[in-house]
Structures are given as structure tokens and as C-alpha cells.
Amino acid sequence: MKNIPSYANIGILIFLFYLIYYIYFAILHPIPSPGDSWDYHIPIAQTILSGSFLNLPHAKLPQWYYPGSSEAINALFILLHIPLTLSNIFATVVLFFSLTKLGKTFKLDKFYSLLFALAICTTNLVLRWLNAVSIDIWVGVFFTLAIVLLEKPHKYPSYFFKLGFIAGMLIGSKYTSLFFIIILFILYFKTIVVNLNLKNFIAFFLPFSILGLFWYIRNYFLTGNPIYPLPFLFFKGQNLFTDNILHITLRYPVQMINAGFGEYKLWILSLFIAFGWVVFKLIKHQFHIDNVIKLFLLGLCNFTGFLSFPTSNQTWIMVSSFRYSLPIFIPLILGVFLMANNHKQKNLLGIFTIANMLDVLSMAYYPKLILFYLPLALLVIFWLNRGNTRKI
């Protein structure tokens, strides 16, 4: 355990290098690259600024009908004339602090919570989107904050208002989040209903409706399909993708495994660890819902939904499909951290975490950035270690 602050310090140094690099790159290249950023993320943000999101009279692509709660944050960047290539960097910083809070919520110590947050924020899944305009990292933020709130329930309307706000932002950011929020509410059902009354329900429902349900109601009245352009049940849509993740995985298992490994490296094993641990507990008749099992069940249930999400057989789309997966691997990786903590394997997981942070060797060479990220890292490390008497 005594080495955990050292692993956290090394992780801070690596993470700040990535942040400073991508901030510098964003300043050098303030215009986002062609692709989804310009196809629909930026246009949706612009419709929010213009007010045309209410009826979308000039929608050029069906993707403009996607929900836009997190796109409103991108709209704020446009309004304030902040380079949009910084928007996902900001989202990642918020994700980092949210994950640190999540780790502490599950009783990890300060440095171990920090290491957990660094593990997620330095995956290629996060890093490769830092200069793009998207909302998948925000989905991870709101999913994380939802768990934090659900783990610490209160009986006051202010708590239910915050929960409604976070849940609304979650489903108001991406259609796939509908599945994730349903799983969360099922898993934490008793936690929610024990303090639910009319006043608390209204406090929850108002922000949940304005930020979340609004987009589905708008689409229903405009197109007859609440999740347009995706076809669903008897609702007509447009086939933007040719298949789903399960079918593509069965047809192209090597390519899909390569895609997952490329995004998460060895953290992809958390999926198999979770499944194996749940099965082991069932076989040994030792199954009870502790924090590790709860997180593993949450991640595994989310994974079942992930298998039905749309994708295509092109390799780059297989890789891109993993952008849906943060709500799967956040609880799975946290569960692995809790297991290592419970079995006194912190140092082993610390080495494992640092090894997975080393990434993106194709970066352009900017050696002078060390003059920025090293002093900043030392300041952060000094602040984190103040009052810590252990020798590191």
C-alpha cells in the first residue's frame, strides 16, 4: 500500500502530459477535423443557439435529430468563442474529478481513487477523442455522477432535483443512455423508492423532463419516432448502420477483439474478470450483493445492452463503436480496483494501471511541453501529498 502515492504521482505526470499536449494541439488547430464533429455535433449545437432545435426546419442529415443536452455545452463553447477542439478536453477533466469522487464513494482512499480516475481517463477510448467534438465523454460523466448520487440517497427534494438533472442529461445526451438509466434504476430501485413521495417525484421529474424526455417528445411530434432516425419496434427510421455489435462480433470476432483491445488494452480483461467472479460466487453459493458484485452486475448488464447497439463491418466503425462503452467499463474497472483493495493487491494493480497509461506513440514531437506539464505535475503532486507523512 505504501507505494500507491508513487503510482498516483507517476499517473498524474502521464495524464498531465496528455492534457497539455492536446491543449497545445487544440490551440494550434482550433478548427475540428471533418467527420462527425461537422456532420452533426456542431450543427446540433448551432441549432440550440439559433433556437431552431424546436422544429429543425433545415436539417440536412437525420443525425441532427439526436438529443442535444450535452451538445448545449458545445453550444456554450461556440457562444464564448472558445476553440471547439478544447471541448472534449474540458469534458475529460470533469470526468476525471467525477471518477475520483466515485472511487471515494466506494471507500477507496484518496490516492487509489485518483489512480482509478487516471486509469479511465488515459484509455485510448478517451484520449483519441480529446480534440474532436462529441458527447460520449459527457455520457461517462453523467453516468458516473448518477452512481455517486444513487450510492448516497437523501430524502430531500434537492437530492431528487439533482438526480433528475443528472438522469435527464444522461438520456438527453445519447439514445443508448436510455438502456443505461433503466439498468441503474432497476439496480438502485429500493434506494430510490424508500424516499420517494409526491414532492420528491416532482423535483425529479421536472429537470428529467426538460433535459431528457423533451428530445424524445420533440422527435415524436416531428417524425412520429421518439428516437428518430433509429428504427425501433414499429417506429420507422433510417438504417444509418448495417448491423449491431453482437452480429458483427460473431462474424468478425478477431477484428472486434482487436478494436476493444485497442481502446482499453488490458482493461478489456475486466469484462472477463467480472463474469468469472460472478459465476464463481454463484457456484460457491457465496453470492450476495456487495459493492464488487454490484459494480460487476452493473457493468455486465450494460454490456448486454451494448451488444444490441448499432455498428457496421468496417474496421474503423468497429473501433468507433466502443465510444458507447464507458458506462460498461467504468463500473467494471472500479470493481477490479475494489477487488485488488480487498485482497491487498494495490501495488500489483498500480503497476498494471501505469503500464496501461503508456499510449499514443504516434504523437507529433513537442519537447518544450515538458516546461509546462512537469511544473504543473509537481504542484499537483505536492498538493495531493501535503500532510502525507509516508515516504514516497
Side-chain angles (χ1 to χ4, degrees):
M1 179 174 175
K2 63 183 179 179
N3 289 329
I4 286 300
S6 296
Y7 295 133
N9 293 344
I10 295 169
I12 290 167
L13 185 62
I14 295 171
F15 182 52
L16 284 175
F17 163 68
Y18 289 140
L19 279 186
I20 296 299
Y21 174 90
Y22 284 107
I23 289 171
Y24 182 65
F25 191 88
I27 294 171
L28 287 181
H29 307 279
I31 307 300
S33 300
D36 288 352
S37 297
W38 286 104
D39 286 345
Y40 58 92
H41 288 298
I42 294 174
I44 291 173
Q46 290 171 332
T47 64
I48 292 172
L49 288 176
S50 67
S52 61
F53 70 95
L54 293 172
N55 54 7
L56 294 176
H58 307 299
K60 295 180 180 179
L61 292 174
Q63 292 95 320
W64 288 27
Y65 287 87
Y66 285 167
S69 290
S70 288
E71 305 289 9
I73 301 172
N74 294 328
L76 187 61
F77 273 71
I78 296 173
L79 182 66
L80 299 177
H81 302 287
I82 301 172
L84 281 169
T85 45
L86 289 168
S87 61
N88 260 350
I89 296 173
F90 173 64
T92 301
V93 171
V94 178
L95 178 64
F96 169 77
F97 286 108
S98 301
L99 291 168
T100 302
K101 177 66 175 177
L102 181 63
K104 292 179 180 178
T105 299
F106 279 87
K107 303 298 188 290
L108 293 179
D109 65 44
K110 176 175 68 173
F111 290 105
Y112 215 39
S113 298
L114 186 70
L115 198 65
F116 161 66
L118 291 168
I120 301 291
C121 291
T122 55
T123 57
N124 195 41
L125 178 81
V126 173
L127 293 178
R128 73 188 192 87
W129 294 103
L130 286 189
N131 291 136
V133 181
S134 69
I135 46 83
D136 297 285
I137 294 176
W138 283 115
V139 170
V141 169
F142 297 123
F143 179 80
T144 299
L145 293 177
I147 301 175
V148 170
L149 284 173
L150 290 168
E151 278 291 315
K152 294 187 174 181
H154 293 286
K155 61 182 179 180
Y156 306 110
S158 59
Y159 167 81
F160 280 88
F161 180 85
K162 288 186 287 187
L163 184 61
F165 178 90
I166 295 300
M169 289 297 294
L170 183 57
I171 70 164
S173 296
K174 207 173 188 72
Y175 290 141
T176 54
S177 296
L178 281 170
F179 183 87
F180 299 139
I181 200 67
I182 290 171
I183 296 298
L184 275 176
F185 283 173
I186 291 174
L187 192 62
Y188 287 93
F189 178 76
K190 291 183 179 179
T191 300
I192 297 170
V193 299
V194 69
N195 295 315
L196 192 61
N197 54 42
L198 181 60
K199 183 185 295 186
N200 288 342
F201 176 78
I202 293 172
F204 170 86
F205 191 72
L206 283 176
F208 182 71
S209 299
I210 294 170
L211 298 171
L213 295 180
F214 161 78
W215 304 101
Y216 301 84
I217 296 170
R218 178 203 66 173
N219 285 355
Y220 178 77
F221 281 107
L222 292 182
T223 69
N225 180 353
I227 61 170
Y228 185 83
L230 303 181
F232 177 70
L233 297 177
F234 51 84
F235 296 112
K236 295 182 179 180
Q238 299 191 32
N239 292 315
L240 302 179
F241 298 90
T242 59
D243 219 321
N244 62 45
I245 290 172
L246 176 60
H247 292 159
I248 293 297
T249 301
L250 293 175
R251 289 165 57 194
Y252 307 97
V254 174
Q255 292 89 330
M256 189 60 83
I257 290 171
N258 285 340
F261 192 86
E263 295 297 81
Y264 286 103
K265 292 208 284 284
L266 289 176
W267 288 123
I268 201 73
L269 296 177
S270 63
L271 185 63
F272 303 97
I273 293 171
F275 181 77
W277 188 249
V278 171
V279 171
F280 172 78
K281 288 294 186 178
L282 286 171
I283 292 174
K284 291 292 186 178
H285 303 289
Q286 298 173 347
F287 190 84
H288 63 278
I289 306 296
D290 58 14
N291 281 337
V292 173
I293 292 294
K294 179 165 58 177
L295 288 166
F296 282 169
L297 286 176
L298 176 58
L300 290 172
C301 288
N302 286 347
F303 179 71
T304 63
F306 172 75
L307 293 175
S308 68
F309 294 165
T311 190
S312 293
N313 58 9
Q314 297 96 327
T315 300
W316 67 273
I317 294 184
M318 292 184 201
V319 174
S320 181
S321 299
F322 277 87
R323 71 188 187 274
Y324 308 136
S325 66
L326 273 176
I328 299 167
F329 285 95
I330 286 172
L332 291 182
I333 294 172
L334 180 55
V336 172
F337 268 77
L338 291 181
M339 281 185 68
N341 186 50
N342 295 342
H343 292 84
K344 303 186 186 305
Q345 296 296 325
K346 283 187 171 184
N347 288 337
L348 178 61
L349 196 62
I351 295 170
F352 185 93
T353 302
I354 295 299
N356 276 274
M357 288 183 185
L358 304 176
D359 205 4
V360 196
L361 301 180
S362 59
M363 286 177 164
Y365 186 50
Y366 298 118
K368 296 183 181 64
L369 290 183
I370 193 172
L371 301 176
F372 296 93
Y373 72 81
L374 180 58
L376 183 57
L378 292 174
L379 285 173
V380 173
I381 291 167
F382 176 79
W383 178 75
L384 286 170
N385 285 277
R386 69 195 192 286
N388 182 39
T389 58
R390 289 195 295 269
K391 185 176 181 180
I392 61 175

